[in-house]
Amino acid sequence: MKEIKAFIRANKAETVIEALEDFGVKGVTLIDALGIGALADPEHSKYSIRCVKKYSDIAKLEVVCSKEYVHKVVEVIREKAYTGLKGDGVIYVSPVEVAVKIRSGAIGEEAL
């Protein structure tokens, strides 16, 4: 199993989640967050960088899936979160050693 964490523009979260649901992902954790990073592309921005707030609204998505679906889930997120501008976000993939469903006691991929 793998855990996918994606930090994306907050205004793209709904589009990404809908696409993940269409693909068959059953559970997504969505966390509202603030981030510091590439806030604006000075060459394409309409405002001076001094006028842009230091922290930008971002969304953190967390998904746990079987290893066989990782690349497709990552591609769905990347495709739907993409704007082509600096600050589109980043995706991390990490191994998950064990998953246990609290209610049923299911272990491993059965807990997903």
Side-chain angles (χ1 to χ4, degrees):
M1 292 177 294
K2 299 287 186 174
E3 178 184 35
I4 301 166
K5 294 179 187 175
F7 297 85
I8 64 172
R9 297 176 187 276
N11 65 347
K12 290 288 195 171
E14 187 172 347
T15 301
V16 171
I17 290 170
E18 287 174 358
L20 289 170
E21 288 172 340
D22 290 345
F23 176 67
V25 172
K26 294 182 174 129
V28 178
T29 300
L30 172 64
I31 301 166
D32 288 326
L34 296 174
I36 300 173
L39 300 175
D41 183 349
E43 293 180 23
H44 297 96
S45 180
K46 294 181 182 178
Y47 304 102
S48 161
I49 197 68
R50 291 187 312 243
C51 295
V52 178
K53 63 184 179 176
K54 186 172 183 177
Y55 300 95
S56 58
D57 294 325
I58 62 171
K60 179 183 178 187
L61 302 177
E62 295 180 352
V63 175
V64 177
C65 65
S66 65
K67 197 164 81 169
E68 66 186 282
Y69 294 114
V70 169
H71 293 293
K72 181 58 180 170
V73 171
V74 167
E75 185 54 28
V76 167
I77 295 168
R78 195 198 67 74
E79 179 183 304
K80 296 299 180 180
Y82 178 83
T83 68
L85 300 174
K86 288 182 180 179
D88 271 353
V90 65
I91 302 169
Y92 299 105
V93 178
S94 304
V96 173
E97 296 294 323
V98 177
V100 179
K101 191 161 212 144
I102 294 171
R103 180 184 53 82
S104 67
I107 297 174
E109 290 188 20
E110 292 180 20
L112 301 179

